Amino acid sequence: AGPARDPPVPRRFRVRPLRSPPRRSPPPVQVLVRGVRAFQYATRRKSATWDGAASIALEFVLEWRRKEGIESLARQTPERLGRFDELWTWSRCGNDEWGHPVCWDRLGAVAWDPLLHEFGEEEVCRLFFRRLERLRLEKLQTGEEKGHAVYKHVYVVDLSDLSMMRVLQRSNRELISHTLGAVSSFYPETMLKMFLVNAPRVFPHIWRVVQPMIDPVSAAKINILGPLDGDDAAQQLLLDAGVDRAFLTEHLARRHS
């Protein structure tokens, strides 16, 4: 008789061979650093403990980046990008002394109706995030050149021509709320400071609607300025924040024309 053999293992107890997870490019270190800092601040504000919630949130952000292919999108030029930029004007307008980029967003003059009609809410958000991702890549390059991390930016929101009625329309209000929430999730801890300029007289009423949508820490970074024409102090605040003098001069001249 041959050597005794072990009895066969029942099928329900058989161990399946492990499969290696699909290879993916490593997540950007800058994204991880921003996320960790943001979640730490959030748990402190809520008197919560640092636990698995942070890793779950980070996984959500990384999955969104992979699903949207956001870094690849940032390096591409979508076919209708010119039209999008025409309806929602957004410009780079300088750097502060530490290298933080300064952006000028003409939110008050956004053509909301054709923007949503031609692109839809999902594509509007996607192209807006493309701007933020390109900004992230630019900050990486600036950091390498300066020898220190640059991951925040200064945001100037021009409220010229702002219509309270347009902002309070349900579709526009939902788009703003969705975008603000997504920015705080996907690009946390990126805003150094924000200036709301050329704010109309009715803006305090609009601000009461918008402010609850904004994280309290982010709201504390926001400076509200009235019309810039003839306000030397307000103009100097923007220049000190890194707005290029030539850009500001051109902006003021365009408002007078």
Side-chain angles (χ1 to χ4, degrees):
R5 296 185 179 181
D6 294 332
V9 178
R11 181 179 297 275
R12 65 179 180 275
F13 294 128
R14 292 178 187 175
V15 178
R16 295 181 179 180
L18 296 177
R19 295 182 180 180
S20 300
R23 289 189 176 183
R24 295 177 181 173
S25 57
V29 174
Q30 192 186 49
V31 172
L32 296 177
V33 170
R34 287 199 325 261
V36 168
R37 289 189 177 186
F39 298 131
Q40 282 180 330
Y41 295 153
T43 53
R44 289 172 188 169
R45 291 196 298 274
K46 298 175 182 177
S47 300
T49 57
W50 176 257
D51 55 15
S55 62
I56 293 174
L58 280 172
E59 288 178 7
F60 174 72
V61 172
L62 296 176
E63 176 62 19
W64 171 80
R65 292 183 61 83
R66 183 197 65 78
K67 181 180 177 181
E68 294 295 330
I70 194 66
E71 188 166 340
S72 297
L73 178 65
R75 301 180 189 278
Q76 299 170 4
T77 304
E79 182 178 353
R80 296 192 296 162
L81 182 63
R83 177 59 175 164
F84 177 78
D85 290 338
E86 177 185 342
L87 296 173
W88 187 344
T89 305
W90 193 90
S91 309
R92 281 278 287 103
C93 61
N95 293 80
D96 71 6
E97 58 183 310
W98 296 281
H100 299 115
V102 186
C103 309
W104 192 288
D105 187 339
R106 291 202 62 200
L107 185 65
V110 172
W112 294 106
D113 292 341
L115 182 70
L116 290 172
H117 177 73
E118 295 180 28
F119 290 89
E121 181 178 325
E122 183 176 344
E123 186 66 8
V124 167
C125 290
R126 191 164 181 262
L127 291 177
F128 179 78
F129 289 135
R130 176 185 179 274
R131 291 172 170 175
L132 296 183
E133 185 66 15
R134 287 179 64 83
L135 196 60
R136 185 188 74 83
L137 296 174
E138 179 187 337
K139 287 182 280 192
L140 279 177
Q141 182 177 348
T142 302
E144 292 177 0
E145 295 171 354
K146 288 189 169 291
H148 61 79
V150 177
Y151 61 92
K152 294 193 176 188
H153 59 268
V154 178
Y155 207 50
V156 182
V157 180
D158 187 355
L159 300 178
S160 301
D161 305 319
L162 181 68
S163 168
M164 185 175 178
M165 184 175 296
R166 285 188 297 181
V167 172
L168 294 179
Q169 281 182 336
R170 181 177 178 181
S171 58
N172 298 339
R173 190 172 68 248
E174 289 177 350
L175 174 61
I176 293 173
S177 177
H178 174 71
T179 304
L180 290 174
V183 168
S184 64
S185 297
F186 301 143
Y187 292 90
E189 286 298 301
T190 56
M191 187 176 71
L192 181 64
K193 61 183 70 173
M194 175 185 285
F195 295 92
L196 303 179
V197 303
N198 297 316
R201 293 181 179 180
V202 297
F203 185 73
H205 304 288
I206 300 176
W207 181 243
R208 281 197 289 270
V209 174
V210 175
Q211 190 174 13
M213 307 175 190
I214 303 174
D215 180 85
V217 173
S218 298
K221 301 177 182 179
I222 297 175
N223 304 273
I224 301 176
L225 305 177
L228 296 177
D229 301 331
D231 191 337
D232 295 339
Q235 294 177 30
Q236 190 60 49
L237 280 175
L238 295 178
L239 295 173
D240 293 342
V243 174
D244 183 73
R245 185 178 294 276
F247 181 95
L248 184 57
T249 301
E250 182 182 349
H251 165 76
L252 294 173
R254 188 166 54 245
R255 281 178 57 83
H256 283 296
S257 60

